[in-house]
Amino acid sequence: MQDLKPRPVSIFREFLDGEAAGGIILMAAAALALIVANSPLAGAYFSALHAYVGPLSVSHWVNDGLMAVFFLLVGLEIKREMLDGQLSTWPRRVLPGIAAAGGMLVPALVYVAINRNNAAALSGWAIPTATDIAFALGVLSLLGKRVPASLKIFLTALAIIDDLGAVIIIAIFYTKGLSLAYLGAAFAVIAALIVLNRMRVVTLVPYIVLGVILWVLVLKSGVHATLAGVALALTIPLKVSAGTGHDLDHSPLHRLEHALHKIVPFVVIPIFGFANAGVSLAGLSAAALVEPLTLGVAAGLVVGKLVGVLGSSAIAIRLGFADLPVNAGWLHMLGVSLLCGIGFTMSLFIGLLAFASDVALQDAVKVGILAGSFVAALLGAAVLLMAPPAGGVDEDEG
């Protein structure tokens, strides 16, 4: 009889490798967008983003369509890690869970404190709460073996919980003008997907077909269309029927996740980054960088994430609720807490939702995200370079 036990570690390693490589490509895409947006090609770049292809502009196809695929992968990762992976038991969830909570709460408070007298900007409170898994792991991968593997797993687990929080925030706070008819139809499709799951249908085709229908209905309902990806992910079966001769790595969820790991980090996210990181820096002054909106985003990412992640982790560890990651010391934790301030993809996405009708505010948000993420990446990498190599932490420290 074949062993049907899950092998979450090998799957997690594959995820880490794919995200790290994708993060490096994302950095290049963001840099290219900035160069193009500040070159003679800027006019063509912005015109192309606003050109219509069918019922939606290119920008909307990217942000509502391609990003639904990203959210599908996020949903699959959350489900797998909670049921079959590094977050499948409460002891494994404690430290990244507490760190993620602190890393969302404190940046939001920093942003609100800086923008307390700017009512128009307050709707962007959630922008600095997100951590970009791909970007952060891309920076870690550049440091090679100096970073303990346990720290990469901690960062990824934290960012996955962070993504779950971002999904909940988007669903609750950035949904407007609901159409009950379309929403009801969307729930009917979700019910059909659940029936497929309960009937142990393992062919992915009917799930994908219903998923496309679900995306259209959610788009029309007023709920952000990308959340259709999460809803679809939660209905994809993780297990296979006993006696089929396949292990859990061949379940529908794992097959779809493996396929998306080739598409999302190397196609979807770089396109999103290229389409949204382009902002004209013409006339940008030091004064613009300390405008409340821009400063709130940047300070939330750099200071808020550091205080939130490191502070909540220290409290949890000192109280005995959790332990430091294996072979990691407090200098490692300081470095990775700084890297959590890289909020590129999800922060940009939330910023677009928060200020959907104001391009000037969107640009201010982008400058804050780019500046904050760059500083967080630079400081985090510098601290980790000063930390003892993996395996070289004193027992008293680790």
Side-chain angles (χ1 to χ4, degrees):
M1 181 176 178
Q2 280 197 318
D3 183 11
L4 294 180
K5 292 182 179 179
R7 293 187 293 279
V9 175
S10 62
I11 296 168
F12 206 78
R13 300 285 187 206
E14 179 182 335
F15 167 76
L16 289 176
D17 293 340
E19 289 291 328
I24 295 172
I25 294 174
L26 175 58
M27 295 179 206
L32 181 60
L34 276 174
I35 292 170
V36 171
N38 292 276
S39 75
L41 297 174
Y45 170 78
F46 290 111
S47 295
L49 290 176
H50 292 98
Y52 271 75
V53 178
L56 300 175
S57 67
V58 170
S59 179
H60 278 102
W61 277 117
V62 171
N63 296 333
D64 293 352
L66 281 183
M67 285 302 283
V69 180
F70 167 75
F71 274 79
L72 171 59
L73 180 58
V74 166
L76 293 172
E77 289 164 355
I78 290 171
K79 180 174 180 176
R80 173 177 55 77
E81 290 306 321
M82 288 292 183
L83 299 181
D84 184 38
Q86 295 297 323
L87 299 173
S88 59
T89 62
W90 283 109
R92 289 179 172 180
R93 296 171 187 165
V94 171
L95 186 59
I98 291 174
M104 296 186 78
L105 176 61
V106 178
L109 292 176
V110 169
Y111 179 93
V112 170
I114 293 174
N115 288 277
R116 63 188 181 278
N117 296 321
N118 186 0
L122 286 177
S123 61
W125 63 270
I127 295 170
T129 63
T131 293
D132 191 295
I133 302 178
F135 220 134
L137 285 177
V139 173
L140 280 184
S141 72
L142 296 176
L143 301 176
K145 295 182 179 179
R146 295 192 62 85
V147 180
S150 62
L151 207 64
K152 298 176 184 177
I153 293 173
F154 165 74
L155 174 60
T156 308
L158 183 156
I160 287 173
I161 297 172
D162 199 298
D163 281 345
L164 176 59
V167 168
I168 294 171
I169 287 171
I170 291 168
I172 296 175
F173 296 100
Y174 296 106
T175 293
K176 300 175 182 177
L178 291 177
S179 166
L180 295 181
Y182 281 111
L183 196 59
F187 277 117
V189 173
I190 292 173
L193 287 164
I194 294 172
V195 170
L196 288 178
N197 181 296
R198 294 298 184 186
M199 292 176 63
R200 299 186 181 276
V201 175
V202 296
T203 303
L204 284 170
V205 173
Y207 292 98
I208 301 302
V209 170
L210 286 176
V212 172
I213 297 172
L214 178 62
W215 178 82
V216 173
L217 293 172
V218 173
L219 178 67
K220 297 284 189 179
S221 73
V223 177
H224 201 273
T226 51
L227 296 181
V230 179
L232 172 61
L234 298 181
T235 66
I236 303 294
L238 175 61
K239 297 183 179 180
V240 295
S241 300
T244 60
H246 297 292
D247 59 28
L248 293 184
D249 288 354
H250 291 87
S251 71
L253 186 145
H254 284 112
R255 284 188 279 119
L256 181 56
E257 187 179 12
H258 290 173
L260 292 178
H261 273 161
K262 300 173 184 177
I263 298 172
V264 172
F266 303 112
V267 179
V268 173
I269 295 304
I271 290 176
F272 174 81
F274 181 75
N276 291 285
V279 56
S280 176
L281 302 179
L284 185 68
S285 63
L289 292 174
V290 293
E291 285 291 322
L293 177 56
T294 303
L295 182 61
V297 172
L301 289 172
V302 179
V303 179
K305 279 290 186 180
L306 171 61
V307 174
V309 173
L310 186 61
S312 59
S313 296
I315 291 171
I317 292 168
R318 292 304 184 191
L319 292 178
F321 296 145
D323 297 318
L324 276 169
V326 178
N327 291 328
W330 285 107
L331 203 55
H332 290 104
M333 289 297 290
L334 173 61
V336 81
S337 297
L338 283 164
L339 290 185
C340 287
I342 302 175
F344 192 80
T345 304
M346 197 68 84
S347 291
L348 277 176
F349 188 75
I350 294 175
L352 294 173
L353 295 180
F355 305 113
S357 59
D358 196 319
V359 175
L361 292 182
Q362 287 181 7
D363 285 346
V365 166
K366 291 177 183 180
V367 172
I369 291 171
L370 291 170
S373 296
F374 177 76
V375 171
L378 199 62
L379 292 178
V383 169
L384 289 172
L385 283 172
M386 293 187 293
V393 181
D394 293 334
E395 287 185 8
D396 289 341
E397 184 185 6

